[in-house]
Amino acid sequence: MARLAGKVALITGGARGQGAAEARLFSSEGAKVVITDVLDAEGEVTAQACGALYLHHDVRSEADWQRVVERTLAEHGRIDVLINNAGIFRTGSIVSTTLEQYREMIDVNQVGVFLGMKAVAETMIDQQSGSIVNISSVAGLQGTPNAVAYGASKWAVRGMTKTAAKEFGRFGIRVNSIHPGLIDTPMIHDFAGIDIDGGARVLRSAAIRRPADPGEVAALALFLASDESSYSTGSEFVVDGGWMA
């Protein structure tokens, strides 16, 4: 199939994990893909494997966003899809989290999404079309102990998504959020300290008692990026195996 034929997709945090799964799937469905990340070696490998363009990109930097958008337009002439996928995860209670740690999470997970939507807005408005998919979390739908900064950033992504949907809808631009549960990605293994194979608490609470494969999140992102979701905007799409059911 070619569900994204003729579309140009920009995917942040595309070097590995969910972003890489999205890049591979989108490419296989006919999209011209640009992936960005700060993990250059892994990003280049992923890009080569799926015929994408890789660009170094710190999502906290407005100048980097401008450069990435300009390069994408120079290469492909348009931007139809933005997947705001880049993010970091750290655990920490309110008492133990330092101001520096809190601000780091907000800068990457929240400010990065704001800058991304802002950076592509002019192009999408000119086109009178576009789909923005912001990767939030189930932590943006409920209180999550020992994740105060992460939860705050993901609640903000949820709220910004709804605001952007209201602002951009008249220009033919749709904005939705995806709220994953426990996904088997390097971020979980590297940063969260979760024994994903040993029966984490969240898995015991889920209806489907396993972590999701990144491709399962990518499949939902594909639907939202495609014209199949043409009447969906400002909505929250949960992929958590029934954890919140």
Side-chain angles (χ1 to χ4, degrees), residues 68-78:
V68 163
V69 167
E70 288 176 352
R71 179 68 186 280
T72 302
L73 292 174
E75 290 285 333
H76 300 302
R78 58 187 296 116

Side-chain angles (χ1 to χ4, degrees), residues 162-222:
K162 292 183 177 298
T163 298
K166 293 283 191 177
E167 291 188 10
F168 295 155
R170 63 194 176 101
F171 302 112
I173 303 166
R174 297 179 295 105
V175 190
N176 293 286
S177 57
I178 292 179
H179 298 258
L182 191 61
I183 313 301
D184 192 359
T185 65
M187 185 176 75
I188 291 294
H189 291 284
D190 291 351
F191 300 125
I194 293 174
D195 178 11
I196 202 165
D197 299 315
R201 178 182 58 82
V202 293
L203 294 182
R204 294 196 298 271
S205 301
I208 301 174
R209 296 190 177 185
R210 63 167 176 82
D213 181 86
E216 293 174 295
V217 181
L220 182 52
L222 172 63

Side-chain angles (χ1 to χ4, degrees), residues 19-245:
E22 289 154 2
R24 291 190 294 268
L25 181 59
F26 284 23
S27 291
S28 73
E29 291 288 347
K32 296 176 181 176
V33 175
V34 177
I35 61 175
T36 77
D37 213 306
V38 294
L39 303 174
D40 295 335
E42 290 172 280
E44 292 286 2
V45 170
T46 299
Q48 185 174 9
C50 62
L53 170 66
Y54 172 76
L55 300 174
H56 180 87
H57 181 200
D58 181 346
V59 296
R60 300 170 296 181
S61 166
E62 192 165 14
D64 265 21
W65 270 108
Q66 182 178 356
R67 177 180 53 81
V68 163
V69 167
E70 288 176 352
R71 179 68 186 280
T72 302
L73 292 174
E75 290 285 333
H76 300 302
R78 58 187 296 116
I79 300 174
D80 299 288
V81 179
L82 169 64
I83 309 293
N84 272 315
N85 176 78
I88 58 174
F89 179 53
R90 305 283 192 280
T91 57
S93 68
I94 294 173
V95 173
S96 66
T97 299
T98 67
L99 180 58
E100 180 181 20
Q101 291 168 334
Y102 186 89
R103 283 178 169 163
E104 179 189 28
M105 195 83 67
I106 296 300
D107 283 345
V108 175
N109 294 358
Q110 178 180 335
V111 175
V113 169
F114 161 70
L115 291 175
M117 293 192 294
K118 185 177 181 179
V120 302
E122 183 178 353
T123 295
M124 289 186 173
I125 289 171
D126 287 345
Q127 295 169 178
Q128 292 288 290
S129 66
S131 176
I132 298 173
V133 181
N134 297 324
I135 305 299
S136 180
S137 168
V138 290
L141 297 171
Q142 65 177 13
T144 306
N146 297 311
V148 60
Y150 184 74
S153 70
K154 294 303 186 179
W155 274 86
V157 169
R158 178 188 180 193
M160 287 190 294
T161 296
K162 292 183 177 298
T163 298
K166 293 283 191 177
E167 291 188 10
F168 295 155
R170 63 194 176 101
F171 302 112
I173 303 166
R174 297 179 295 105
V175 190
N176 293 286
S177 57
I178 292 179
H179 298 258
L182 191 61
I183 313 301
D184 192 359
T185 65
M187 185 176 75
I188 291 294
H189 291 284
D190 291 351
F191 300 125
I194 293 174
D195 178 11
I196 202 165
D197 299 315
R201 178 182 58 82
V202 293
L203 294 182
R204 294 196 298 271
S205 301
I208 301 174
R209 296 190 177 185
R210 63 167 176 82
D213 181 86
E216 293 174 295
V217 181
L220 182 52
L222 172 63
F223 168 71
L224 294 174
S226 76
D227 295 337
E228 296 165 17
S229 57
S230 59
Y231 202 57
S232 295
T233 195
S235 296
E236 300 149 356
F237 292 81
V238 181
V239 52
D240 71 346
W243 177 16
M244 295 188 62

